[in-house]
Amino acid sequence: MPELPDVETFKRYFDATSLHKRVEHVHLHDELLLDGVSRQKVVGVLVGEAFEGTTRRGKYLGARTTNDEWLILHFGMTGSLQYAQSLGDEPRYTALLLELSDDSQLAYINKRRFGKISAASSFDDFIEARELGPDALDVDLPSFRAMVAGRRGSIKSLLMNQKILAGVGNVYADEMLFHAGVMPDRNASSLSEREITDVHAWLMRVLKTAIDRGADADRMPESWLLPRRAADAPCTLCNGMIASMKVSGRTTYFCPSHQG
DNA sequence: CTAGATGTTAAGGT
DNA sequence: CACCTTAACATCTA
């Protein structure tokens, strides 16, 4: 479920485990995940170089090397990072394994193969080419108001549209609308000023709280929808029951009693 | 065994 | 033309 909070958590994990270490060997197991680059390019960018810093935009993570190139990862639906202090044991479903200079290793694993591995000399250009909107955490209320104005689709599909704002996916979109009390299938342009303000406030609050809790569903607040996304569960905010429906093709959980 | 799943995107529709 | 929605993608799990 890697959305913005998950990728931010991966970024911090990457920083804590792998920064300033040289890449000694690269094992690229799954070429299907390569996004517009050859195996040779990825290997060439990494081998012999160290990681100097990381950045993130929406669900994309970038790691800059000493030769000013970027390793760029997208986690799809099932990607993650797994670090080990010693070499040898490769996690199942490893698509990319980096052997680091202190004999540790970082694995990018992806069970369902929907992620992306890429390399580029500019992270911003790479993002630009994909027409991503601003990172969701950088969207202030006036810009959010402008995004909502004149949209024909649902508020949920707007929140999930990476070209409008980057980072929100199915699960967190539901969470924000659950707290803001707005039905996910409401037409974005039908929201009142008050509702726009509430959705924006919860956009920020949900993302920040999720990051604080390491994007771990089990550590989310009691009142959240996320740990118990299921139809017929009791609503934690009112005396209603959680229901589900499809909104822009995705399974959506909501409370018909307090989301209007 | 089949249906459905977190994400992205090409193709089709308004 | 701008914007939306749907279906397909590869694979695993309930």
PDB file of all heavy atoms in Angstrom, chain B residues 3-14:
ATOM      1  P    DA B   3     -14.427 -14.944 -10.903  1.00  0.00           P
ATOM      2  OP1  DA B   3     -15.804 -14.744 -11.380  1.00  0.00           O
ATOM      3  OP2  DA B   3     -13.279 -14.784 -11.810  1.00  0.00           O
ATOM      4  O5'  DA B   3     -14.214 -14.000  -9.631  1.00  0.00           O
ATOM      5  C5'  DA B   3     -14.843 -14.343  -8.394  1.00  0.00           C
ATOM      6  C4'  DA B   3     -14.440 -13.316  -7.363  1.00  0.00           C
ATOM      7  O4'  DA B   3     -13.104 -13.603  -6.897  1.00  0.00           O
ATOM      8  C3'  DA B   3     -14.404 -11.888  -7.887  1.00  0.00           C
ATOM      9  O3'  DA B   3     -14.819 -11.025  -6.842  1.00  0.00           O
ATOM     10  C2'  DA B   3     -12.944 -11.685  -8.275  1.00  0.00           C
ATOM     11  C1'  DA B   3     -12.219 -12.538  -7.243  1.00  0.00           C
ATOM     12  N9   DA B   3     -10.975 -13.153  -7.700  1.00  0.00           N
ATOM     13  C8   DA B   3     -10.639 -13.558  -8.976  1.00  0.00           C
ATOM     14  N7   DA B   3      -9.453 -14.113  -9.064  1.00  0.00           N
ATOM     15  C5   DA B   3      -8.979 -14.070  -7.752  1.00  0.00           C
ATOM     16  C6   DA B   3      -7.776 -14.500  -7.177  1.00  0.00           C
ATOM     17  N6   DA B   3      -6.798 -15.087  -7.856  1.00  0.00           N
ATOM     18  N1   DA B   3      -7.621 -14.312  -5.849  1.00  0.00           N
ATOM     19  C2   DA B   3      -8.608 -13.726  -5.159  1.00  0.00           C
ATOM     20  N3   DA B   3      -9.784 -13.280  -5.592  1.00  0.00           N
ATOM     21  C4   DA B   3      -9.900 -13.488  -6.913  1.00  0.00           C
ATOM     22  P    DG B   4     -15.038  -9.483  -7.121  1.00  0.00           P
ATOM     23  OP1  DG B   4     -16.251  -9.072  -6.401  1.00  0.00           O
ATOM     24  OP2  DG B   4     -14.890  -9.215  -8.562  1.00  0.00           O
ATOM     25  O5'  DG B   4     -13.777  -8.860  -6.365  1.00  0.00           O
ATOM     26  C5'  DG B   4     -13.541  -9.219  -5.007  1.00  0.00           C
ATOM     27  C4'  DG B   4     -12.184  -8.719  -4.599  1.00  0.00           C
ATOM     28  O4'  DG B   4     -11.168  -9.562  -5.168  1.00  0.00           O
ATOM     29  C3'  DG B   4     -11.877  -7.291  -5.063  1.00  0.00           C
ATOM     30  O3'  DG B   4     -11.406  -6.561  -3.949  1.00  0.00           O
ATOM     31  C2'  DG B   4     -10.801  -7.468  -6.121  1.00  0.00           C
ATOM     32  C1'  DG B   4     -10.121  -8.746  -5.656  1.00  0.00           C
ATOM     33  N9   DG B   4      -9.406  -9.488  -6.679  1.00  0.00           N
ATOM     34  C8   DG B   4      -9.785  -9.682  -7.983  1.00  0.00           C
ATOM     35  N7   DG B   4      -8.919 -10.394  -8.672  1.00  0.00           N
ATOM     36  C5   DG B   4      -7.920 -10.688  -7.751  1.00  0.00           C
ATOM     37  C6   DG B   4      -6.724 -11.432  -7.901  1.00  0.00           C
ATOM     38  O6   DG B   4      -6.294 -11.998  -8.909  1.00  0.00           O
ATOM     39  N1   DG B   4      -5.989 -11.486  -6.719  1.00  0.00           N
ATOM     40  C2   DG B   4      -6.365 -10.899  -5.542  1.00  0.00           C
ATOM     41  N2   DG B   4      -5.538 -11.059  -4.503  1.00  0.00           N
ATOM     42  N3   DG B   4      -7.484 -10.198  -5.378  1.00  0.00           N
ATOM     43  C4   DG B   4      -8.204 -10.133  -6.524  1.00  0.00           C
ATOM     44  P    DA B   5     -11.269  -4.974  -4.014  1.00  0.00           P
ATOM     45  OP1  DA B   5     -12.052  -4.421  -2.904  1.00  0.00           O
ATOM     46  OP2  DA B   5     -11.506  -4.502  -5.398  1.00  0.00           O
ATOM     47  O5'  DA B   5      -9.728  -4.770  -3.702  1.00  0.00           O
ATOM     48  C5'  DA B   5      -9.152  -5.319  -2.522  1.00  0.00           C
ATOM     49  C4'  DA B   5      -7.644  -5.277  -2.646  1.00  0.00           C
ATOM     50  O4'  DA B   5      -7.228  -6.407  -3.421  1.00  0.00           O
ATOM     51  C3'  DA B   5      -7.138  -4.062  -3.433  1.00  0.00           C
ATOM     52  O3'  DA B   5      -6.865  -2.994  -2.514  1.00  0.00           O
ATOM     53  C2'  DA B   5      -5.852  -4.563  -4.045  1.00  0.00           C
ATOM     54  C1'  DA B   5      -6.046  -6.085  -4.126  1.00  0.00           C
ATOM     55  N9   DA B   5      -6.227  -6.562  -5.498  1.00  0.00           N
ATOM     56  C8   DA B   5      -7.234  -6.282  -6.361  1.00  0.00           C
ATOM     57  N7   DA B   5      -7.128  -6.881  -7.521  1.00  0.00           N
ATOM     58  C5   DA B   5      -5.963  -7.606  -7.414  1.00  0.00           C
ATOM     59  C6   DA B   5      -5.283  -8.452  -8.307  1.00  0.00           C
ATOM     60  N6   DA B   5      -5.700  -8.726  -9.543  1.00  0.00           N
ATOM     61  N1   DA B   5      -4.130  -9.022  -7.881  1.00  0.00           N
ATOM     62  C2   DA B   5      -3.699  -8.742  -6.642  1.00  0.00           C
ATOM     63  N3   DA B   5      -4.256  -7.965  -5.716  1.00  0.00           N
ATOM     64  C4   DA B   5      -5.400  -7.418  -6.172  1.00  0.00           C
ATOM     65  P    DT B   6      -7.730  -1.796  -2.454  1.00  0.00           P
ATOM     66  OP1  DT B   6      -8.637  -1.856  -1.303  1.00  0.00           O
ATOM     67  OP2  DT B   6      -8.272  -1.558  -3.823  1.00  0.00           O
ATOM     68  O5'  DT B   6      -6.658  -0.734  -2.052  1.00  0.00           O
ATOM     69  C5'  DT B   6      -5.969   0.151  -2.809  1.00  0.00           C
ATOM     70  C4'  DT B   6      -4.571   0.286  -2.277  1.00  0.00           C
ATOM     71  O4'  DT B   6      -4.060  -0.978  -1.812  1.00  0.00           O
ATOM     72  C3'  DT B   6      -3.624   0.747  -3.375  1.00  0.00           C
ATOM     73  O3'  DT B   6      -2.978   1.916  -2.898  1.00  0.00           O
ATOM     74  C2'  DT B   6      -2.653  -0.377  -3.584  1.00  0.00           C
ATOM     75  C1'  DT B   6      -2.722  -1.110  -2.242  1.00  0.00           C
ATOM     76  N1   DT B   6      -2.389  -2.545  -2.311  1.00  0.00           N
ATOM     77  C2   DT B   6      -1.861  -3.141  -1.184  1.00  0.00           C
ATOM     78  O2   DT B   6      -1.639  -2.522  -0.174  1.00  0.00           O
ATOM     79  N3   DT B   6      -1.584  -4.480  -1.308  1.00  0.00           N
ATOM     80  C4   DT B   6      -1.794  -5.271  -2.405  1.00  0.00           C
ATOM     81  O4   DT B   6      -1.511  -6.450  -2.372  1.00  0.00           O
ATOM     82  C5   DT B   6      -2.355  -4.592  -3.542  1.00  0.00           C
ATOM     83  C7   DT B   6      -2.651  -5.374  -4.766  1.00  0.00           C
ATOM     84  C6   DT B   6      -2.625  -3.290  -3.423  1.00  0.00           C
ATOM     85  P    DG B   7      -2.907   3.040  -3.938  1.00  0.00           P
ATOM     86  OP1  DG B   7      -2.222   4.165  -3.271  1.00  0.00           O
ATOM     87  OP2  DG B   7      -4.258   3.205  -4.520  1.00  0.00           O
ATOM     88  O5'  DG B   7      -1.954   2.441  -5.064  1.00  0.00           O
ATOM     89  C5'  DG B   7      -0.567   2.322  -4.832  1.00  0.00           C
ATOM     90  C4'  DG B   7       0.172   2.545  -6.137  1.00  0.00           C
ATOM     91  O4'  DG B   7      -0.128   1.457  -7.020  1.00  0.00           O
ATOM     92  C3'  DG B   7      -0.268   3.824  -6.855  1.00  0.00           C
ATOM     93  O3'  DG B   7       0.859   4.408  -7.486  1.00  0.00           O
ATOM     94  C2'  DG B   7      -1.290   3.342  -7.863  1.00  0.00           C
ATOM     95  C1'  DG B   7      -0.794   1.934  -8.184  1.00  0.00           C
ATOM     96  N9   DG B   7      -1.893   1.027  -8.460  1.00  0.00           N
ATOM     97  C8   DG B   7      -2.989   0.768  -7.683  1.00  0.00           C
ATOM     98  N7   DG B   7      -3.810  -0.090  -8.222  1.00  0.00           N
ATOM     99  C5   DG B   7      -3.208  -0.421  -9.426  1.00  0.00           C
ATOM    100  C6   DG B   7      -3.624  -1.308 -10.453  1.00  0.00           C
ATOM    101  O6   DG B   7      -4.648  -1.993 -10.492  1.00  0.00           O
ATOM    102  N1   DG B   7      -2.715  -1.349 -11.499  1.00  0.00           N
ATOM    103  C2   DG B   7      -1.561  -0.629 -11.558  1.00  0.00           C
ATOM    104  N2   DG B   7      -0.820  -0.784 -12.647  1.00  0.00           N
ATOM    105  N3   DG B   7      -1.158   0.212 -10.613  1.00  0.00           N
ATOM    106  C4   DG B   7      -2.027   0.258  -9.582  1.00  0.00           C
ATOM    107  P    DT B   8       0.700   5.805  -8.272  1.00  0.00           P
ATOM    108  OP1  DT B   8       1.934   6.528  -8.044  1.00  0.00           O
ATOM    109  OP2  DT B   8      -0.600   6.428  -7.942  1.00  0.00           O
ATOM    110  O5'  DT B   8       0.686   5.338  -9.792  1.00  0.00           O
ATOM    111  C5'  DT B   8       1.828   4.628 -10.271  1.00  0.00           C
ATOM    112  C4'  DT B   8       1.636   4.228 -11.702  1.00  0.00           C
ATOM    113  O4'  DT B   8       0.546   3.308 -11.834  1.00  0.00           O
ATOM    114  C3'  DT B   8       1.353   5.380 -12.672  1.00  0.00           C
ATOM    115  O3'  DT B   8       2.241   5.200 -13.745  1.00  0.00           O
ATOM    116  C2'  DT B   8      -0.103   5.177 -13.071  1.00  0.00           C
ATOM    117  C1'  DT B   8      -0.251   3.666 -12.950  1.00  0.00           C
ATOM    118  N1   DT B   8      -1.605   3.146 -12.662  1.00  0.00           N
ATOM    119  C2   DT B   8      -2.136   2.171 -13.490  1.00  0.00           C
ATOM    120  O2   DT B   8      -1.562   1.740 -14.458  1.00  0.00           O
ATOM    121  N3   DT B   8      -3.361   1.717 -13.120  1.00  0.00           N
ATOM    122  C4   DT B   8      -4.118   2.123 -12.038  1.00  0.00           C
ATOM    123  O4   DT B   8      -5.203   1.632 -11.805  1.00  0.00           O
ATOM    124  C5   DT B   8      -3.510   3.155 -11.216  1.00  0.00           C
ATOM    125  C7   DT B   8      -4.245   3.657 -10.031  1.00  0.00           C
ATOM    126  C6   DT B   8      -2.298   3.612 -11.565  1.00  0.00           C
ATOM    127  P    DT B   9       2.353   6.262 -14.921  1.00  0.00           P
ATOM    128  OP1  DT B   9       3.722   6.180 -15.429  1.00  0.00           O
ATOM    129  OP2  DT B   9       1.781   7.555 -14.483  1.00  0.00           O
ATOM    130  O5'  DT B   9       1.386   5.655 -16.035  1.00  0.00           O
ATOM    131  C5'  DT B   9       1.682   4.382 -16.601  1.00  0.00           C
ATOM    132  C4'  DT B   9       0.616   4.075 -17.618  1.00  0.00           C
ATOM    133  O4'  DT B   9      -0.600   3.667 -16.963  1.00  0.00           O
ATOM    134  C3'  DT B   9       0.245   5.284 -18.488  1.00  0.00           C
ATOM    135  O3'  DT B   9       0.003   4.811 -19.791  1.00  0.00           O
ATOM    136  C2'  DT B   9      -1.050   5.773 -17.851  1.00  0.00           C
ATOM    137  C1'  DT B   9      -1.672   4.440 -17.486  1.00  0.00           C
ATOM    138  N1   DT B   9      -2.740   4.480 -16.473  1.00  0.00           N
ATOM    139  C2   DT B   9      -3.705   3.490 -16.542  1.00  0.00           C
ATOM    140  O2   DT B   9      -3.705   2.627 -17.391  1.00  0.00           O
ATOM    141  N3   DT B   9      -4.674   3.577 -15.576  1.00  0.00           N
ATOM    142  C4   DT B   9      -4.777   4.516 -14.566  1.00  0.00           C
ATOM    143  O4   DT B   9      -5.694   4.467 -13.766  1.00  0.00           O
ATOM    144  C5   DT B   9      -3.734   5.515 -14.555  1.00  0.00           C
ATOM    145  C7   DT B   9      -3.760   6.574 -13.495  1.00  0.00           C
ATOM    146  C6   DT B   9      -2.784   5.448 -15.499  1.00  0.00           C
ATOM    147  P    DA B  10       0.607   5.606 -21.008  1.00  0.00           P
ATOM    148  OP1  DA B  10       2.051   5.337 -21.028  1.00  0.00           O
ATOM    149  OP2  DA B  10       0.101   6.997 -21.010  1.00  0.00           O
ATOM    150  O5'  DA B  10      -0.079   4.819 -22.210  1.00  0.00           O
ATOM    151  C5'  DA B  10      -0.016   3.388 -22.242  1.00  0.00           C
ATOM    152  C4'  DA B  10      -1.319   2.846 -22.766  1.00  0.00           C
ATOM    153  O4'  DA B  10      -2.349   2.953 -21.758  1.00  0.00           O
ATOM    154  C3'  DA B  10      -1.851   3.561 -23.998  1.00  0.00           C
ATOM    155  O3'  DA B  10      -2.416   2.576 -24.853  1.00  0.00           O
ATOM    156  C2'  DA B  10      -2.913   4.516 -23.440  1.00  0.00           C
ATOM    157  C1'  DA B  10      -3.444   3.733 -22.246  1.00  0.00           C
ATOM    158  N9   DA B  10      -3.914   4.545 -21.128  1.00  0.00           N
ATOM    159  C8   DA B  10      -3.343   5.677 -20.619  1.00  0.00           C
ATOM    160  N7   DA B  10      -3.976   6.169 -19.568  1.00  0.00           N
ATOM    161  C5   DA B  10      -5.026   5.296 -19.383  1.00  0.00           C
ATOM    162  C6   DA B  10      -6.075   5.267 -18.437  1.00  0.00           C
ATOM    163  N6   DA B  10      -6.217   6.151 -17.463  1.00  0.00           N
ATOM    164  N1   DA B  10      -6.963   4.272 -18.534  1.00  0.00           N
ATOM    165  C2   DA B  10      -6.817   3.365 -19.506  1.00  0.00           C
ATOM    166  N3   DA B  10      -5.877   3.283 -20.445  1.00  0.00           N
ATOM    167  C4   DA B  10      -5.003   4.296 -20.328  1.00  0.00           C
ATOM    168  P    DA B  11      -2.960   2.998 -26.290  1.00  0.00           P
ATOM    169  OP1  DA B  11      -2.595   1.911 -27.208  1.00  0.00           O
ATOM    170  OP2  DA B  11      -2.586   4.406 -26.580  1.00  0.00           O
ATOM    171  O5'  DA B  11      -4.537   2.932 -26.050  1.00  0.00           O
ATOM    172  C5'  DA B  11      -5.088   1.799 -25.395  1.00  0.00           C
ATOM    173  C4'  DA B  11      -6.564   2.034 -25.172  1.00  0.00           C
ATOM    174  O4'  DA B  11      -6.764   2.879 -24.019  1.00  0.00           O
ATOM    175  C3'  DA B  11      -7.262   2.731 -26.346  1.00  0.00           C
ATOM    176  O3'  DA B  11      -8.513   2.102 -26.527  1.00  0.00           O
ATOM    177  C2'  DA B  11      -7.400   4.172 -25.867  1.00  0.00           C
ATOM    178  C1'  DA B  11      -7.635   3.954 -24.376  1.00  0.00           C
ATOM    179  N9   DA B  11      -7.321   5.078 -23.492  1.00  0.00           N
ATOM    180  C8   DA B  11      -6.307   5.980 -23.588  1.00  0.00           C
ATOM    181  N7   DA B  11      -6.283   6.867 -22.616  1.00  0.00           N
ATOM    182  C5   DA B  11      -7.364   6.517 -21.828  1.00  0.00           C
ATOM    183  C6   DA B  11      -7.890   7.062 -20.638  1.00  0.00           C
ATOM    184  N6   DA B  11      -7.378   8.113 -20.016  1.00  0.00           N
ATOM    185  N1   DA B  11      -8.981   6.465 -20.108  1.00  0.00           N
ATOM    186  C2   DA B  11      -9.503   5.405 -20.734  1.00  0.00           C
ATOM    187  N3   DA B  11      -9.104   4.801 -21.850  1.00  0.00           N
ATOM    188  C4   DA B  11      -8.014   5.416 -22.351  1.00  0.00           C
ATOM    189  P    DG B  12      -9.419   2.428 -27.793  1.00  0.00           P
ATOM    190  OP1  DG B  12      -9.732   1.145 -28.446  1.00  0.00           O
ATOM    191  OP2  DG B  12      -8.813   3.539 -28.550  1.00  0.00           O
ATOM    192  O5'  DG B  12     -10.748   2.954 -27.086  1.00  0.00           O
ATOM    193  C5'  DG B  12     -11.312   2.207 -26.012  1.00  0.00           C
ATOM    194  C4'  DG B  12     -12.311   3.071 -25.293  1.00  0.00           C
ATOM    195  O4'  DG B  12     -11.609   4.062 -24.498  1.00  0.00           O
ATOM    196  C3'  DG B  12     -13.236   3.849 -26.227  1.00  0.00           C
ATOM    197  O3'  DG B  12     -14.575   3.691 -25.770  1.00  0.00           O
ATOM    198  C2'  DG B  12     -12.752   5.294 -26.113  1.00  0.00           C
ATOM    199  C1'  DG B  12     -12.222   5.321 -24.689  1.00  0.00           C
ATOM    200  N9   DG B  12     -11.231   6.351 -24.410  1.00  0.00           N
ATOM    201  C8   DG B  12     -10.117   6.685 -25.141  1.00  0.00           C
ATOM    202  N7   DG B  12      -9.425   7.671 -24.614  1.00  0.00           N
ATOM    203  C5   DG B  12     -10.129   8.005 -23.469  1.00  0.00           C
ATOM    204  C6   DG B  12      -9.867   8.993 -22.483  1.00  0.00           C
ATOM    205  O6   DG B  12      -8.937   9.795 -22.431  1.00  0.00           O
ATOM    206  N1   DG B  12     -10.837   8.994 -21.481  1.00  0.00           N
ATOM    207  C2   DG B  12     -11.913   8.140 -21.440  1.00  0.00           C
ATOM    208  N2   DG B  12     -12.738   8.292 -20.410  1.00  0.00           N
ATOM    209  N3   DG B  12     -12.165   7.207 -22.349  1.00  0.00           N
ATOM    210  C4   DG B  12     -11.240   7.199 -23.332  1.00  0.00           C
ATOM    211  P    DG B  13     -15.769   4.470 -26.448  1.00  0.00           P
ATOM    212  OP1  DG B  13     -16.923   3.555 -26.456  1.00  0.00           O
ATOM    213  OP2  DG B  13     -15.304   5.121 -27.691  1.00  0.00           O
ATOM    214  O5'  DG B  13     -16.034   5.581 -25.349  1.00  0.00           O
ATOM    215  C5'  DG B  13     -16.285   5.174 -24.002  1.00  0.00           C
ATOM    216  C4'  DG B  13     -16.753   6.378 -23.199  1.00  0.00           C
ATOM    217  O4'  DG B  13     -15.625   7.248 -22.932  1.00  0.00           O
ATOM    218  C3'  DG B  13     -17.784   7.235 -23.931  1.00  0.00           C
ATOM    219  O3'  DG B  13     -18.752   7.672 -22.977  1.00  0.00           O
ATOM    220  C2'  DG B  13     -16.970   8.404 -24.469  1.00  0.00           C
ATOM    221  C1'  DG B  13     -15.918   8.561 -23.377  1.00  0.00           C
ATOM    222  N9   DG B  13     -14.653   9.176 -23.794  1.00  0.00           N
ATOM    223  C8   DG B  13     -13.857   8.835 -24.856  1.00  0.00           C
ATOM    224  N7   DG B  13     -12.782   9.569 -24.961  1.00  0.00           N
ATOM    225  C5   DG B  13     -12.870  10.455 -23.887  1.00  0.00           C
ATOM    226  C6   DG B  13     -11.993  11.492 -23.483  1.00  0.00           C
ATOM    227  O6   DG B  13     -10.938  11.848 -23.994  1.00  0.00           O
ATOM    228  N1   DG B  13     -12.473  12.146 -22.345  1.00  0.00           N
ATOM    229  C2   DG B  13     -13.637  11.836 -21.700  1.00  0.00           C
ATOM    230  N2   DG B  13     -13.939  12.565 -20.633  1.00  0.00           N
ATOM    231  N3   DG B  13     -14.466  10.867 -22.071  1.00  0.00           N
ATOM    232  C4   DG B  13     -14.019  10.219 -23.165  1.00  0.00           C
ATOM    233  P    DT B  14     -20.112   8.342 -23.478  1.00  0.00           P
ATOM    234  OP1  DT B  14     -21.198   7.780 -22.660  1.00  0.00           O
ATOM    235  OP2  DT B  14     -20.170   8.301 -24.955  1.00  0.00           O
ATOM    236  O5'  DT B  14     -19.867   9.846 -23.020  1.00  0.00           O
ATOM    237  C5'  DT B  14     -19.913  10.146 -21.635  1.00  0.00           C
ATOM    238  C4'  DT B  14     -19.463  11.566 -21.401  1.00  0.00           C
ATOM    239  O4'  DT B  14     -18.147  11.769 -21.950  1.00  0.00           O
ATOM    240  C3'  DT B  14     -20.370  12.622 -22.027  1.00  0.00           C
ATOM    241  O3'  DT B  14     -20.875  13.420 -20.981  1.00  0.00           O
ATOM    242  C2'  DT B  14     -19.442  13.445 -22.927  1.00  0.00           C
ATOM    243  C1'  DT B  14     -18.075  13.126 -22.363  1.00  0.00           C
ATOM    244  N1   DT B  14     -16.929  13.229 -23.296  1.00  0.00           N
ATOM    245  C2   DT B  14     -15.938  14.144 -23.003  1.00  0.00           C
ATOM    246  O2   DT B  14     -15.973  14.873 -22.035  1.00  0.00           O
ATOM    247  N3   DT B  14     -14.893  14.166 -23.886  1.00  0.00           N
ATOM    248  C4   DT B  14     -14.743  13.385 -25.008  1.00  0.00           C
ATOM    249  O4   DT B  14     -13.756  13.496 -25.716  1.00  0.00           O
ATOM    250  C5   DT B  14     -15.805  12.451 -25.272  1.00  0.00           C
ATOM    251  C7   DT B  14     -15.740  11.569 -26.462  1.00  0.00           C
ATOM    252  C6   DT B  14     -16.847  12.422 -24.404  1.00  0.00           C
TER     253       DT B  14
END
